[in-house]
Amino acid sequence: MTTQTVQHMTAIDALLSHVSIRKYTDQPIDEATLQQILDAARRAPTSSNTQTYSIVVVRDAETKRKLAVLTGNQKHVETSAVFMAFVADLSRLKRANALHDADLAINNELSMVAIVDASLVGMAAQVAAESLGLGTVMIGGARNQPEEIAQLLHLPEGAFIVYGMCIGWPAERPPQKPRLPEAEVVHYERYQQPDDGLLHAYDAALAAHYRGEGRETPDAAWTSVMARQFNQPRRPFLRAVLEKLGFNFN
Ligand SMILES: Cc1cc2nc3c(=O)[nH]c(=O)nc-3n(C[C@H](O)[C@H](O)[C@H](O)COP(=O)(O)O)c2cc1C
């Protein structure tokens, strides 16, 4: 087992140096470090103080192995030291309502509140973990089979995994992936329709990045991949499955 020299970073440095890490050493994450991540994550802001999320911390090797399969055979889910499931959880509000003889009215808005809360707490956990020198990658593949994951993790009715996150001590630090040009995503005072030239510039920058890593890529490295991936509805089963799990998107 290799022991990592831990470099702590400020939040701003952690955010500016972020890159997803999918290869980890076999060093475990000690309890104090894990607790710090959870303490920081739980300080995340939350809509109307509803705190409509739960985190399931998975360290058991067999459960991680099953999760790796359920998330689309993602090896890093199995090899991570810790997998955190960020769960949109309305079951607690149901319990709070029941304590006052009220029924929770679940609609599209409340379902979104829970998804946003789970997302914010996960992002806070990621920044915390990376500021402590850990490597992470979020796992949206968790929505491939949310019902099976709900069963595996014993989630109550009204809870589903929005995404997961692998955490471990990094065994690699790949170059940072370029982002869209600032003018494509940031607007001052009012939205100004960006020029497609910015997308072409990003295609070229991303293609150069992938080729630098020895990966094959089309010249239009971003736009053509987005066009191929999103010209059909993704996970069309999801709405029905989430409604079965207790959510409502009406
Ligand atoms: C919500 C979400 C879900 C993601 N799902 C996966 C996933 O299932 N598997 C994976 O390897 N990476 C996943 N990623 C990581 C993205 O691919 C990655 O953040 C993106 O390509 C940018 O790369 P970077 O994080 O290294 O800058 C996910 C990221 C987010 C935010």
Side-chain angles (χ1 to χ4, degrees), residues 34 37-38 41 55-58 80 82-86 125-126 129 139 153 161 163-167:
L34 182 60
I37 296 167
L38 294 169
I55 305 170
V56 183
V57 180
V58 178
S80 61
V82 171
F83 178 89
M84 283 186 189
F86 296 106
Q126 182 177 66
I139 302 295
L153 301 181
I161 183 165
Y163 63 95
M165 186 167 73
C166 306
I167 317 177

Side-chain angles (χ1 to χ4, degrees), residues 60-90:
D60 176 69
E62 182 56 16
T63 310
K64 279 189 290 162
R65 195 190 60 71
K66 287 180 179 159
L67 285 165
V69 174
L70 289 172
T71 54
N73 294 315
Q74 298 204 52
K75 196 73 190 158
H76 35 279
V77 172
E78 189 176 346
T79 56
S80 61
V82 171
F83 178 89
M84 283 186 189
F86 296 106
V87 171
D89 189 353
L90 295 176

